[in-house]
Amino acid sequence: MVNVLFVCLGNICRSPMAEAVFRNEVKEAGLDHLIYTDSAGTGNWHIGKRPHEGTLEILDKNQVDHTKITARQVGEKDLTDFDYIIAMDASNLGNLNRLKGSNKSGEIFRLLDFVPEAITEDVPDPYFTGNFNEVYEMVEKGCANLLTYIRKNENI
């Protein structure tokens, strides 16, 4: 089983959106028995809460299932349990690398590392910008390319 973890700040906007979109892509590819998807936040403000209403609305609009997604905080164990850890921005990446320390398990990337034509390296936080449509487009493209990368890297 390949384990993929998406990480943002509070785990109510970007990372649960990416979790739902990626899980949908994996299911459509018939790989849900081979790839496990989850999300977490670097902060603890929203633990146990459902995604932000803006995230839920854009997922519903695009018919992407988001049931059973609730916020949680990333922990050290995640950095050994997950093979691919996908940060949404430089701040998340920095926090993950500090948490990781010398641990060599799990590769940490930014989602837009998988979108070479992206005009930015960071997925902006719609909690602050309000632009859930823009974020959804970035997440959708990043997740599609991530799945291609994992399939090639893992020979699945």
Side-chain angles (χ1 to χ4, degrees), residues 111-151:
L111 182 62
L112 294 183
D113 291 345
F114 299 97
V115 185
E117 68 275 11
I119 57 173
T120 182
E121 295 178 332
D122 294 335
V123 177
D125 192 342
Y127 186 84
F128 300 108
T129 69
N131 197 340
F132 287 87
N133 289 317
E134 173 191 38
V135 170
Y136 182 83
E137 290 173 15
M138 293 175 159
V139 165
E140 187 176 45
K141 182 68 171 171
C143 285
N145 291 352
L146 172 62
L147 182 55
T148 299
Y149 176 85
I150 290 173
R151 290 183 79 164

Side-chain angles (χ1 to χ4, degrees), residues 5-22 37-42 51 55 59 69 71-72 86-88 92 111 123 125-126 135 139 143:
L5 180 68
F6 294 95
V7 179
C8 69
L9 183 61
N11 193 216
I12 60 168
C13 293
R14 295 170 293 173
S15 59
M17 184 187 298
E19 175 187 353
V21 168
F22 191 72
T37 308
D38 197 2
S39 66
T42 58
T55 294
L59 292 172
I69 295 178
R72 69 180 189 85
I86 312 298
M88 295 294 135
N92 309 144
L111 182 62
V123 177
D125 192 342
V135 170
V139 165
C143 285

Side-chain angles (χ1 to χ4, degrees), residues 1-95:
M1 185 68 95
V2 176
N3 297 306
V4 180
L5 180 68
F6 294 95
V7 179
C8 69
L9 183 61
N11 193 216
I12 60 168
C13 293
R14 295 170 293 173
S15 59
M17 184 187 298
E19 175 187 353
V21 168
F22 191 72
R23 186 178 291 147
N24 186 61
E25 297 245 351
V26 167
K27 184 177 180 181
E28 286 182 356
L31 299 172
D32 46 338
H33 65 290
L34 296 174
I35 301 175
Y36 173 76
T37 308
D38 197 2
S39 66
T42 58
N44 63 0
W45 311 279
H46 305 290
I47 293 173
K49 294 182 182 174
R50 291 281 291 143
H52 186 282
E53 64 186 43
T55 294
L56 297 176
E57 286 174 15
I58 195 78
L59 292 172
D60 286 340
K61 177 182 170 185
N62 288 281
Q63 300 177 341
V64 176
D65 180 35
H66 52 74
T67 56
K68 299 181 183 176
I69 295 178
T70 56
R72 69 180 189 85
Q73 187 173 17
V74 68
E76 284 185 42
K77 188 169 180 344
D78 290 318
L79 301 176
T80 57
D81 289 350
F82 286 87
D83 305 298
Y84 298 89
I85 301 155
I86 312 298
M88 295 294 135
D89 63 31
S91 176
N92 309 144
L93 183 66
N95 288 331

